[in-house]
Amino acid sequence: MTIFRRVGAECVADFREDEVRVLRKVAEEVVGLLTDGFDREDPVVERLFPDVYPEDVKNSAEFRRFTEGDLKTAKIDQAGAVLAGLPEAGKGEVRLDPESAEAWLRAINDARLALGIRLELTDDTVVEYELEEALEQDAGSARVFQLSVYSYLGYLQESLLEAIIGAEFRR
């Protein structure tokens, strides 16, 4: 499994072909969700763009009116940074400067939030148990694949975060 490492100011990782394919698909789905498929009633959109004032519909809508466009653009750009940083096809090395690494971290987080909502995961969910149960029910199911991707994204996110800030903690 891919592990980011720090090389000078960059975060570097070698991705296998299947990892590139999955990350490309996930980033493309996030872009699609935020562009053509943008629906304020979608629970994923609600999670990515939560109401700032849940008790005050009017002020929440006003705040959203002024901020949602920029926030949406930033999330699209972050997913775009993942697409731009990945090899076009096949396996390959990814080298991220500090700005790109932070964009990747945010994009991976958005993808995990979206996937977690689709999988109906909660703060109390133990993903390993969910995956084990899904494997027992039907090892070839879409849920097994999606839970595996969710776990992989978490692992990748942790690896990238370690590469970004790990050096400072070891001093």
Side-chain angles (χ1 to χ4, degrees):
M1 206 174 295
T2 296
I3 297 178
F4 275 97
R5 62 194 179 282
R6 190 71 172 260
V7 178
E10 293 181 314
C11 295
V12 181
D14 296 306
F15 285 88
R16 296 184 324 249
E17 184 175 355
D18 60 329
E19 292 173 308
V20 170
R21 247 190 338 268
V22 166
L23 285 173
R24 222 171 242 302
K25 178 78 172 148
V26 165
E28 288 167 353
E29 286 180 5
V30 169
V31 170
L33 176 73
L34 299 175
T35 54
D36 303 333
F38 194 78
D39 174 6
R40 204 77 205 46
E41 301 301 312
D42 184 334
V44 172
V45 172
E46 287 179 21
R47 181 69 176 102
L48 294 177
F49 299 90
D51 282 332
V52 176
Y53 310 107
E55 313 303 316
D56 187 344
V57 175
K58 183 180 177 192
N59 281 331
S60 214
E62 187 71 6
F63 184 83
R64 187 179 317 110
R65 185 170 71 90
F66 288 109
T67 61
E68 190 171 80
D70 289 342
L71 185 55
K72 194 174 3 170
T73 298
K75 289 179 179 299
I76 292 167
D77 289 348
Q78 291 156 6
V82 171
L83 293 169
L86 288 169
E88 285 296 317
K91 63 182 183 175
E93 182 181 73
V94 170
R95 300 183 79 80
L96 304 174
D97 61 34
E99 185 179 327
S100 297
E102 290 208 19
W104 270 58
L105 202 55
R106 288 186 185 102
I108 293 168
N109 187 61
D110 285 345
R112 286 190 82 232
L113 287 172
L115 195 50
I117 292 296
R118 292 285 188 247
L119 290 167
E120 299 178 352
L121 303 179
T122 67
D123 291 340
D124 297 327
T125 302
V126 178
V127 177
E128 291 79 17
Y129 296 148
E130 283 287 317
L131 183 54
E132 188 177 302
E133 184 178 311
L135 281 166
E136 287 173 7
Q137 291 177 3
D138 180 2
S141 72
R143 185 166 180 81
V144 168
F145 178 74
Q146 291 167 341
L147 285 165
S148 298
V149 170
Y150 181 86
S151 294
Y152 169 71
L153 291 174
Y155 174 82
L156 191 63
Q157 185 178 31
E158 183 178 341
S159 167
L160 180 54
L161 186 59
E162 282 280 322
I164 292 170
I165 63 173
E168 284 106 40
F169 286 131
R170 288 186 214 115
R171 288 183 187 170

